Amino acid sequence: AWFQWMIGFLQSPSRWAEYERRCALAADRVVVVVDEAKTRLIEVGIPAEKIVVIENTEDVSFLSLPLHKEIIAQYENDFVILYIGGFGGTHRGLDTAIEAMPTILKDIPSARLLLVGDGPIKPFLEKMVTELSLERKVTFVEWQPFDKVPSFIAASTVCLVPHYSNPHTESTIPHKLFQYMLMGKPVVVSSCKPLRRVVEETGSGLVFEAGNSHALAQAVIQLKDEGLRRRLGEAGRRAVQEKYNWERTSRKLLRMYEQLG
């Protein structure tokens, strides 16, 4: 009976939401990673003064990690569209990126979708690639150690965060976005509110309608323009160096702990 109750609880978003609300009310502080998450909690009755936004930013020392020349050389003749991270669920939107490839390839024959990582939906994605006859243009690379991440980003032309819109993706933001930006790469992101806000505020990339593979393709095709890629990439790097970096973000976290002390 207890096991069945747990299964029911885990499958009930409304129960999770109520449990979250009760825990947040009981806490002295609640840490969230984006302003949109703070807004959501305020709307369910959590006092604003309890909520601290600590962005999921990157330390600029990320740039000091050595680059692996063999990784960069492997893709030097390709227009690389990169996603690096977990394949943890369909909400990541990797199927949207695969669906966009036939349209992209009509305009950019050298395009290669490079999916670096692993997770439970990988067999589903591989099946899609086979069905669309994209085996030569979509490359899967197994999960990589952290010190190799900058090399794959350096090898890329455009970097993706293609999330579907759902309550989770509308109130969080992935670490990889700031890694892409810090390395001066133009980003193509879906219209989830936190992604849209950061990318439009910083001028670091293009936004497409979440789940719309045609819109994703058109955004990537716009980035055939090398000058545009350079301008967006430079804006992203500047934004992370000046604002969206862990040195700056961590000060807020330290202040929170000092206030609690």
Side-chain angles (χ1 to χ4, degrees):
W2 179 86
F3 180 74
Q4 290 299 324
W5 179 87
M6 280 297 295
I7 293 296
F9 180 84
L10 292 170
Q11 292 179 340
S12 171
S14 62
R15 287 183 179 179
W16 269 115
E18 178 54 25
Y19 182 67
E20 175 193 48
R21 192 183 74 84
R22 291 204 313 269
C23 290
L25 284 170
D28 293 306
R29 293 289 186 277
V30 179
V31 176
V32 297
V33 297
V34 287
D35 294 333
E36 290 79 2
K38 179 175 181 176
T39 300
R40 181 180 67 80
L41 289 176
I42 291 170
E43 288 172 352
V44 297
I46 311 305
E49 60 272 18
K50 278 192 174 190
I51 307 167
V52 182
V53 180
I54 305 295
E55 295 100 342
N56 196 15
T57 55
E58 181 56 86
D59 194 305
V60 293
S61 64
F62 183 76
L63 290 175
S64 68
L65 290 170
L67 296 180
H68 297 260
K69 292 180 181 178
E70 71 279 5
I71 293 173
I72 297 169
Q74 188 173 354
Y75 303 105
E76 63 185 354
N77 296 319
D78 295 328
F79 184 104
V80 175
I81 305 157
L82 174 72
Y83 170 90
I84 190 163
F87 302 172
T90 53
H91 69 280
R92 309 250 181 192
L94 301 180
D95 56 331
T96 308
I98 293 169
E99 287 173 356
M101 282 302 289
T103 302
I104 292 169
L105 286 163
K106 288 175 186 174
D107 262 270
I108 311 174
S110 63
R112 177 176 303 280
L113 178 59
L114 184 58
L115 302 177
V116 181
D118 206 349
I121 66 164
K122 187 175 181 181
F124 163 72
L125 300 174
E126 290 173 328
K127 186 169 183 263
M128 278 189 68
V129 168
T130 301
E131 289 173 349
L132 292 169
S133 301
L134 289 169
E135 294 93 336
R136 296 180 62 187
K137 287 297 183 176
V138 178
T139 301
F140 291 91
V141 176
E142 65 185 9
W143 191 270
Q144 296 294 303
F146 185 73
D147 71 303
K148 289 189 176 179
V149 171
S151 300
F152 282 97
I153 298 175
S156 70
T157 312
V158 177
C159 294
L160 290 182
V161 184
H163 288 174
Y164 278 103
S165 173
N166 63 35
H168 169 65
T169 56
E170 292 288 355
S171 59
T172 189
I173 202 162
H175 202 52
K176 66 176 67 65
L177 175 65
F178 301 112
Q179 293 173 343
Y180 295 159
M181 290 166 61
L182 182 57
M183 291 199 68
K185 297 297 179 175
V187 296
V188 172
V189 304
S190 75
S191 54
C192 295
K193 289 176 186 175
L195 293 170
R196 176 189 287 277
R197 173 175 55 81
V198 170
V199 168
E200 290 184 346
E201 171 209 320
T202 60
S204 56
L206 302 177
V207 180
F208 70 94
E209 180 189 5
N212 185 330
S213 60
H214 178 73
L216 191 160
Q218 294 308 311
V220 170
I221 289 166
Q222 282 187 62
L223 292 172
K224 283 196 302 184
D225 182 336
E226 186 178 353
L228 176 60
R229 293 200 308 270
R230 185 167 53 251
R231 288 194 298 276
L232 297 177
E234 288 172 355
R237 175 178 287 166
R238 189 164 55 247
V240 175
Q241 290 173 331
E242 294 176 0
K243 178 180 179 181
Y244 289 108
N245 62 75
W246 183 244
E247 182 182 3
R248 188 173 184 273
T249 303
S250 63
R251 291 179 199 146
K252 287 196 289 182
L253 187 61
L254 290 171
R255 278 199 302 272
M256 182 195 78
Y257 284 122
E258 287 166 359
Q259 290 164 3
L260 287 171

